[in-house]
Amino acid sequence: LEMRSRPDFTYEDAEALADQCPAVAAVSPQTFVFKKIHLGSESTNDIVVMGVTPEYQYVTDADVGDGRFFAWPEADRKRQVIVLGHPIKERLFGARDPVGRHVFVGNRKFRVVGVMEPMGELFGQSLDEYVIIPYKTVSKLYGSRLTSRLSVKATSPDEIDDAIAQVERVLRARRGVKADDRNNFEIITQGQLVEMYENLTNVTWVVMIGGSAIA
């Protein structure tokens, strides 16, 4: 219940961390909806539709295999552009080049600008069953009150502890957390995330996704 009652992160939170945390190199807000992606008679099941900013590529070291990632003008103008996870491209287009073509996210039409490089599996779970659209497009089409998190990249591995301390300070101030009160958010490092996967249960998975978190 405590996790579910925590406030969501906002686009402005991400901007504040980028501006006020010297040890932070980049920040991308992330928000999630689940929709079917379809083209003609081909369709996926409900999959993760992830809303991010162009900084996501840099924060996560994610590579585009074909085409490109969406650009800042497209993100800021809430364009309906989409980057496909590799198996989604295979399912909908087969051997055809999807770049420049259109797919439907639910009943909304999106132009494909790129396809992500496949990442494979982690502990038996596919890392590629998703699509990516601009963060502000998600807010425009599906509402802003969505479970979200912030992905933060430190300026270097040696700066991770400083980055965490700075992020904690800024978020506590923005959320009005009193000096004696606990954080109403969770900070999770990449190493902790891997450990969570290794000890994965259905309960911990739901809590991790359902609660606000910084990866």
Side-chain angles (χ1 to χ4, degrees):
L1 289 178
E2 181 190 353
M3 285 279 193
R4 293 182 180 181
S5 65
R6 291 175 175 177
D8 287 341
F9 292 116
T10 66
Y11 191 88
E12 291 71 27
D13 287 332
E15 290 182 319
L17 295 185
D19 291 341
Q20 300 175 34
C21 299
V24 168
V27 184
S28 176
Q30 291 176 253
T31 191
F32 305 90
V33 292
F34 291 85
K35 298 288 181 180
K36 289 181 172 64
I37 316 300
H38 58 96
L39 174 67
S41 61
E42 298 294 331
S43 177
T44 70
N45 296 321
D46 283 344
I47 64 167
V48 172
V49 178
M50 182 164 56
V52 302
T53 67
E55 287 284 86
Y56 173 81
Q57 255 198 301
Y58 177 58
V59 172
T60 62
D61 295 321
D63 293 323
V64 175
D66 297 312
R68 60 177 177 84
F69 211 78
F70 48 79
W72 275 108
E74 293 168 317
D76 286 339
R77 293 168 187 165
K78 307 175 185 178
R79 300 298 192 213
Q80 289 177 208
V81 290
I82 190 167
V83 182
L84 305 178
H86 194 266
I88 310 307
K89 177 265 179 188
E90 292 290 315
R91 193 168 307 152
L92 298 182
F93 291 94
R96 291 176 296 158
D97 182 3
V99 176
R101 298 177 182 271
H102 291 84
V103 298
F104 285 85
V105 178
N107 62 352
R108 308 280 188 172
K109 189 176 183 180
F110 281 74
R111 179 169 57 88
V112 179
V113 296
V115 180
M116 299 301 293
E117 281 281 3
M119 294 185 291
E121 295 185 346
L122 181 63
F123 307 113
Q125 296 204 5
S126 172
L127 300 175
D128 300 306
E129 293 281 338
Y130 66 94
V131 296
I132 304 174
I133 66 177
Y135 183 92
K136 290 183 178 180
T137 303
V138 174
S139 298
K140 179 183 78 171
L141 297 180
Y142 306 115
S144 58
R145 294 288 300 164
L146 300 167
T147 299
S148 60
R149 67 186 182 199
L150 307 176
S151 290
V152 179
K153 185 171 187 174
T155 53
S156 74
D158 294 336
E159 297 291 326
I160 289 176
D161 289 343
D162 286 343
I164 289 173
Q166 292 166 13
V167 165
E168 185 174 20
R169 172 181 55 78
V170 170
L171 287 180
R172 284 179 65 88
R174 287 183 60 80
R175 291 170 172 231
V177 179
K178 296 178 181 178
D180 295 333
D181 289 345
R182 294 189 302 171
N183 293 339
N184 59 0
F185 54 90
E186 191 80 19
I187 297 178
I188 304 173
T189 66
Q190 192 173 37
Q192 290 171 321
L193 203 58
V194 171
E195 186 176 343
M196 283 184 183
Y197 271 110
E198 289 175 339
N199 299 291
L200 197 60
T201 68
N202 289 337
V203 174
T204 59
W205 178 253
V206 170
V207 169
M208 186 181 67
I209 296 300
S212 295
I214 296 179

